[in-house]
Amino acid sequence: MSDHPHEDDRPDPLDGFDELVEAETTRDPDLAVIEAGSRTLRTQGGQPQAEVPGRPGDPEIDRALREVETELAGRWGETKLEPSVSRISALMDLLGEPQRAYPSIHITGTNGKTSTARMIEALLGAFELRTGRYTSPHVQSITERISLDGAPISAEGFIETYRDITPYVEMVDAAQEYRLSFFEVLTGMAYAAFADAPVDVAVVEVGMGGSWDATNVIDGDVAVITPIALDHTDRLGGTPAEIAGEKGGIIKQDATVILAQQPVDAAQVLLKKAVEVDATVAREGLEFGVVERQVAVGGQLLTLRGLGGEYPEVYLPLHGAYQAHNAAVALAAVEAFFGVGAQRAQPLDIDTVRKAFAAVSSPGRLEVVRRSPTVVLDAAHNPAGAEATAEAVREAFDFTRLIGVVGASADKNVRGLLEAFEPIFAEVVVTQNSTPRAMDADELAAIAVEVFGEDRVQVEPRLPDALEAAITLAEEEGEFAGGGVLVTGSVITVGEARLLLGKG
């Protein structure tokens, strides 16, 4: 972190920050009581990211990878849970506690986790740290979930890691009441791969919740909590406060907590947890945030307020206000990791920060994969995510007629998702992806008709047919008009559409 400006030359870090404070989420006065017991971080005074990988070109490697995928698929899926870290802890013990071999930044929340993780990874890499990133679910290839130095682990590396830990997995399976799940085995693989690399720092996204999530056997030096909304309510709770209680489980003793803007009841729970474990808290809208943003070609131009001062003219090649907020959270997390705001007052090197953000990608998040007509992919799968996406589409694209292609999972709030998109979709083509979790297209259509009206709904159970139908509808606007297609509703739907449209 070189080339810091001389302290006398730096602008006052509090100048121009009143507007940011005023823009913060409405706060309950009772929060002051909780905050009084919490230390806060207020300063006194990249590598290019790889595209989503396709199938291995070598037939033998592809065959071996498919064998591993089949074996993993035979375990409990990610939606079937027995809330406990006992099995993953047993695996870590047999593997020699690989997760203790490097410091970690742990990320939870409802929306924005993967994009934030990718930004954190890019920033750390730009400062010449070797990174490991673990995120879920994948868009197209299972190898995406484990990244080293900003790129998905190779198919060969994935296979080798799986085979290396398999004997230990079998030992845990034999000793426990339930076998290790799909996600638990992948988590063990990630932690082992990071230790073997070795990495300088791991960026780890939870699978679900926090307290009993399989990733929660690390002691994250920095705990990041992205915005909390209602999702997985059958497992995490029916209110933001209840969900925050689970997600706050990643906050460890003496850690630093980077807190995105939250509903008031969720913020209360998280701040109380921070007090209990003597964690240091930095809150979006107070200690850090987005000072200014302007829509730019292919993304947006930001001025970010970090823990060490302002970072002007930061180009982010992603669309939407929510991605700007993700960027502010990611920057604060990396600053906290480097001790900015605690041991030191200087900001990070601005040129390095700009370089890192300019290289960020987030496949399947408002990703343009075709022109004439424009086809955009977005993995929004709950109402809060859909509302953020709809707002970003209005801002970033000049569609005169937007056709939606929606394929959702049966366990999601599909009505809320469709209601969020209704104002921006002229018509919607409902479909289903290839997984067992997918909602039946006819069932989805019945809900869509209630939201959109019968005349605006078309049913195409096969995704290829749905894409063709939507593109045809968009083309009715004419070659030089503003017709477009947005494919959304599920990460799986987006991944399958991405392949069909020639990406990866």
Side-chain angles (χ1 to χ4, degrees):
M1 293 171 289
S2 59
D3 302 327
H4 295 304
H6 190 277
E7 188 163 342
D8 292 339
D9 298 330
R10 288 190 297 109
D12 184 338
L14 299 181
D15 282 353
F17 205 54
D18 290 344
E19 294 86 351
L20 196 155
V21 174
E22 290 174 6
E24 188 206 8
T25 300
T26 303
R27 298 167 60 79
D28 190 307
D30 290 342
L31 288 181
V33 177
I34 299 172
E35 290 165 0
S38 171
R39 293 175 289 148
T40 60
L41 277 175
R42 185 187 298 275
T43 307
Q44 303 301 318
Q47 67 222 126
Q49 295 188 325
E51 277 292 305
V52 174
R55 299 300 308 183
D58 186 316
E60 285 302 308
I61 296 174
D62 186 51
R63 179 191 57 76
L65 181 60
R66 290 185 188 278
E67 287 180 0
V68 172
E69 290 170 324
T70 300
E71 290 178 27
L72 287 168
R75 294 179 174 274
W76 274 4
E78 289 171 284
T79 60
K80 186 172 182 179
L81 303 168
E82 193 277 316
S84 167
V85 294
S86 61
R87 293 174 300 281
I88 188 68
S89 295
L91 180 60
M92 293 296 100
D93 182 57
L94 290 174
L95 292 174
E97 303 292 344
Q99 81 281 15
R100 312 284 184 208
Y102 37 80
S104 301
I105 298 175
H106 206 177
I107 306 169
T108 190
T110 301
N111 292 308
K113 296 188 294 297
T114 297
S115 293
T116 302
R118 294 178 71 94
M119 293 178 196
I120 291 172
E121 174 190 50
L123 284 163
L124 293 168
F127 284 102
E128 300 185 352
L129 292 183
R130 188 166 200 202
T131 57
R133 172 173 54 85
Y134 181 51
T135 53
S136 60
H138 56 274
V139 177
Q140 286 176 202
S141 171
I142 195 170
T143 60
E144 296 166 39
R145 296 181 180 232
I146 303 172
S147 287
L148 298 169
D149 290 327
I153 190 172
S154 67
E156 297 96 322
F158 188 90
I159 296 162
E160 182 180 0
T161 302
Y162 177 77
R163 297 302 181 198
D164 284 347
I165 74 165
T166 294
Y168 304 98
V169 168
E170 292 173 348
M171 291 171 66
V172 175
D173 287 345
Q176 297 285 325
E177 181 180 2
Y178 301 105
R179 297 172 70 216
L180 285 155
S181 70
F182 169 89
F183 187 73
E184 287 169 332
V185 174
L186 276 175
T187 302
M189 290 173 60
Y191 290 161
F194 296 161
D196 188 56
V199 302
D200 297 315
V201 54
V203 182
V204 178
E205 174 190 338
V206 304
M208 187 186 300
S211 296
W212 41 258
D213 187 75
T215 63
N216 202 30
V217 289
I218 56 173
D219 293 321
D221 301 82
V222 178
V224 177
I225 304 179
T226 67
I228 289 174
L230 298 182
D231 199 8
H232 301 294
T233 53
D234 56 330
R235 298 176 179 89
L236 302 179
T239 67
E242 290 175 347
I243 294 171
E246 287 295 333
K247 294 184 182 293
I250 74 165
I251 301 174
K252 304 299 171 54
Q253 187 72 35
D254 297 321
T256 299
V257 184
I258 305 301
L259 199 61
Q261 290 184 0
Q262 304 290 347
V264 170
D265 56 346
Q268 288 177 320
V269 171
L270 295 169
L271 289 167
K272 182 179 179 182
K273 172 66 175 180
V275 172
E276 290 172 353
V277 298
D278 199 26
T280 303
V281 179
R283 300 152 296 177
E284 184 182 6
L286 292 177
E287 282 76 42
F288 69 92
V290 180
V291 176
E292 183 181 0
R293 73 181 195 94
Q294 301 173 12
V295 176
V297 176
Q300 50 196 310
L301 191 65
L302 310 175
T303 296
L304 300 176
R305 160 70 181 177
L307 306 176
E310 284 197 0
Y311 297 79
E313 298 181 4
V314 174
Y315 175 69
L316 180 68
L318 301 174
H319 299 292
Y322 68 96
Q323 293 288 22
H325 289 283
N326 289 340
V329 169
L331 176 61
V334 173
E335 285 183 307
F337 181 79
F338 284 130
V340 175
Q343 291 88 16
R344 54 190 293 189
Q346 293 104 326
L348 303 176
D349 177 57
I350 182 62
D351 290 334
T352 305
V353 169
R354 287 171 178 158
K355 178 182 177 183
F357 276 119
V360 167
S361 66
S362 195
R365 277 76 180 177
L366 280 179
E367 180 186 19
V368 177
V369 294
R370 172 182 164 150
R371 300 286 185 182
S372 299
T374 298
V375 178
V376 183
L377 308 180
D378 191 85
H381 56 273
N382 56 48
E387 288 169 7
T389 295
E391 179 183 348
V393 168
R394 290 190 191 97
E395 176 185 84
F397 300 93
D398 294 324
F399 294 127
T400 57
R401 187 164 183 256
L402 181 62
I403 310 300
V405 175
V406 179
S409 296
D411 59 346
K412 297 297 182 180
N413 180 357
V414 175
R415 180 179 296 276
L417 179 90
L418 293 172
E419 288 174 346
F421 283 124
E422 189 277 333
I424 68 168
F425 287 165
E427 296 181 56
V428 61
V429 181
V430 297
T431 188
Q432 63 191 73
N433 59 55
S434 64
T435 66
R437 290 179 58 196
M439 176 174 281
D440 179 79
D442 289 333
E443 183 180 351
L444 179 57
I447 301 172
V449 166
E450 295 177 5
V451 174
F452 289 85
E454 188 173 355
D455 292 343
R456 295 168 62 194
V457 178
Q458 183 171 332
V459 186
E460 295 290 350
R462 296 181 65 254
L463 182 57
D465 296 337
L467 291 172
E468 183 179 354
I471 290 169
T472 299
L473 288 168
E475 287 174 336
E476 291 177 1
E477 287 287 273
E479 183 179 357
F480 300 105
V485 175
L486 176 63
V487 184
T488 189
S490 163
V491 176
I492 305 301
T493 301
V494 162
E496 292 181 357
R498 204 172 186 274
L499 280 171
L500 289 167
L501 292 166
K503 298 290 285 185

